[in-house]
Amino acid sequence: MVNKKFWAAVFTLTGTTIGAGILGLPYVFAKSGFLVGVFWLFIIGAVIIFTNLTLGEITLRTRGKHQLTGYAEKYLGIWGKRLMFFAVAFGIYSALLAYLIGEGESLAQLIPGNTPPFVFAIFFWIIMTLLLKRGLKGLKRVETYGVIIIITIILGLFIKSIPLINPTNLTTFYPTNFAVPFGVVLFALLGFTSIPELRKEIKGQEKLLKKAIILGTLIPIALYIIFSLVFIGILGNKITEVATLSFGPLMTLLGIFTMLTSYFVLSYSIHATYTYDIKTKKSTRFILTSILPLALYILATQLEFIKFTFILGIGGVISGGITGILILLIARKAKKSTRNKKDPEIKIPINIPIIIILSLIFIAGIIIEFVH
């Protein structure tokens, strides 16, 4: 029997994770070498799974409705709230900006005519703004069908493309670009903001949350490997920044769906942050959740240096790095608190050495992204 709550949680995390990041992976993997990209996927993927599970435990230990900013305030105080809000907002707005850029370019290529990407980006923004009004019900529907479509297209692409793959393209290695994929890979694996929503979706079956988080993170990693293998195996290093634009209409359609699902979840998440943690007025929430991303997109169209993978890399290391470190600190505090649930369904070991090691990885990512 299909467990609807479990799979809704899995697909929410998968759909949040698979967004614009997947479209930038083949480009940066081609610069460093496919195997180098896979190496970073495994290393950063392990760190993200651990951090996601740690956040899952935090949500189970803490009473009340919170987003990441709320958890930071509860356990770290006002400085934690402010820093977490900055990290979350920076990451979400970076992602929403990247999605608007990617959707505009993808729709412009998919639909015949000379309509500029800007017009299609505005159209996409309108649709997402209307969907956001449906709340959590809309979230479940968008994620479930969106992720199923994404998985089907990627697996179909892989099967169809096997005879066209040149193994030589997959073994090319560029040592000087070894660290290039770090920021985009980290961005592509970020799904922190959806974990509090998973806790709501799986209510009553909390014992399945751990499995949902692990599976919801592993599915994107597997799909990223397959996706990048096909593009690099066929095209080598002749890949555009938005990878799907290098292929035909089917791949462009895939790009549209990946960005659609993540745009919705992230919009919902930042809306919930303003609702539960910042406690803003309804009109203010609309401006900050819907109008601000559009304003950033309009500004970005005037600044030629703001490119797709640039946004992914910077957004990934700054938001992911700061958020990851704060989650680890929150988890340690939550375990010591006597006011919380004493026996959560997820228990992840956390101590000072673990926090230091993982924090150094996140910090290294920020440094690497700015240096290269």
Side-chain angles (χ1 to χ4, degrees):
M1 184 175 179
V2 177
N3 189 317
K4 292 183 179 180
K5 286 189 175 182
F6 171 76
W7 286 108
V10 170
F11 287 154
T12 293
L13 179 52
T14 297
T16 305
T17 304
I18 300 177
I22 189 175
L23 307 181
L25 288 176
Y27 179 78
V28 294
F29 282 12
K31 283 185 170 296
S32 64
F34 172 73
L35 295 179
V36 173
V38 173
F39 165 81
W40 284 119
L41 269 176
F42 285 146
I43 296 299
I44 300 175
V47 172
I48 292 299
I49 288 175
F50 181 89
T51 311
N52 280 345
L53 289 172
T54 299
L55 179 54
E57 180 180 349
I58 293 169
T59 67
L60 293 172
R61 284 186 177 275
T62 310
R63 295 184 178 92
K65 294 181 179 181
H66 303 282
Q67 294 297 309
L68 294 179
T69 304
Y71 291 120
E73 180 181 24
K74 184 177 180 66
Y75 294 110
L76 302 179
I78 190 65
W79 73 268
K81 176 182 180 179
R82 289 172 178 171
L83 189 56
M84 180 66 86
F85 176 73
F86 166 77
V88 170
F90 189 92
I92 289 180
Y93 287 125
S94 295
L96 297 180
L97 173 57
Y99 298 155
L100 287 171
I101 293 173
E103 286 287 0
E105 293 180 359
S106 298
L107 289 169
Q109 178 166 305
L110 183 67
I111 299 174
N114 297 317
T115 305
F118 180 84
V119 174
F120 286 112
I122 299 298
F123 173 76
F124 171 77
W125 172 83
I126 293 172
I127 298 298
M128 289 296 98
T129 299
L130 293 175
L131 279 174
L132 186 60
K133 290 186 176 182
R134 292 186 57 81
L136 194 59
K137 291 182 179 179
L139 169 64
K140 291 179 180 179
R141 182 169 296 179
V142 168
E143 286 306 319
T144 299
Y145 293 111
V147 171
I148 289 174
I149 291 172
I150 290 168
I151 293 174
T152 301
I153 292 177
I154 290 179
L155 293 180
L157 168 69
F158 175 67
I159 294 172
K160 183 179 179 180
S161 301
I162 289 177
L164 304 176
I165 293 174
N166 181 356
T168 303
N169 292 339
L170 302 175
T171 56
T172 304
F173 174 51
Y174 303 99
T176 56
N177 293 333
F178 182 80
V180 167
F182 193 105
V184 177
V185 169
L186 180 55
F187 183 98
L189 291 174
L190 293 181
F192 297 146
T193 54
S194 69
I195 303 297
E197 305 311 322
L198 267 62
R199 172 68 180 83
K200 297 176 189 176
E201 289 182 340
I202 211 165
K203 186 177 181 180
Q205 299 182 30
E206 286 82 0
K207 63 181 180 179
L208 296 176
L209 183 59
K210 181 177 182 179
K211 186 183 294 185
I213 289 174
I214 294 174
L215 186 58
T217 310
L218 287 176
I219 289 175
I221 292 174
L223 293 177
Y224 290 165
I225 294 173
I226 295 172
F227 185 79
S228 299
L229 184 151
V230 170
F231 274 79
I232 296 174
I234 296 176
L235 300 176
N237 59 6
K238 298 177 182 178
I239 299 173
T240 57
E241 287 199 51
V242 182
T244 47
L245 299 181
S246 302
F247 266 51
L250 182 60
M251 284 303 94
T252 302
L253 188 62
L254 170 64
I256 290 171
F257 272 109
T258 58
M259 289 182 283
L260 183 151
T261 54
S262 277
Y263 191 101
F264 184 86
V265 176
L266 292 179
S267 294
Y268 182 87
S269 178
I270 195 68
H271 185 273
T273 296
Y274 289 126
T275 301
Y276 300 119
D277 298 334
I278 309 299
K279 295 180 172 58
T280 58
K281 295 179 180 179
K282 186 175 181 180
S283 59
T284 304
R285 289 198 297 270
F286 175 73
I287 292 172
L288 294 174
T289 303
S290 298
I291 302 299
L292 182 55
L294 179 62
L296 290 174
Y297 171 71
I298 293 173
L299 176 63
T301 57
Q302 307 301 316
L303 302 175
E304 295 184 359
F305 72 90
I306 298 183
K307 302 296 183 182
F308 188 73
T309 53
F310 172 81
I311 297 171
L312 301 186
I314 297 299
V317 296
I318 292 180
S319 176
I322 297 175
T323 304
I325 293 171
L326 289 174
I327 287 172
L328 298 175
L329 295 175
I330 291 169
R332 189 164 181 270
K333 284 275 190 176
K335 282 180 178 292
K336 293 183 176 182
S337 176
T338 59
R339 296 175 298 172
N340 300 319
K341 189 174 181 179
K342 294 182 179 180
D343 191 28
E345 289 77 6
I346 298 178
K347 295 179 181 179
I348 305 299
I350 191 77
N351 53 41
I352 294 299
I354 291 175
I355 292 174
I356 291 175
I357 292 172
L358 296 183
S359 295
L360 287 174
I361 293 175
F362 286 124
I363 293 170
I366 295 173
I367 296 171
I368 288 170
E369 187 64 28
F370 281 97
V371 167
H372 83 74

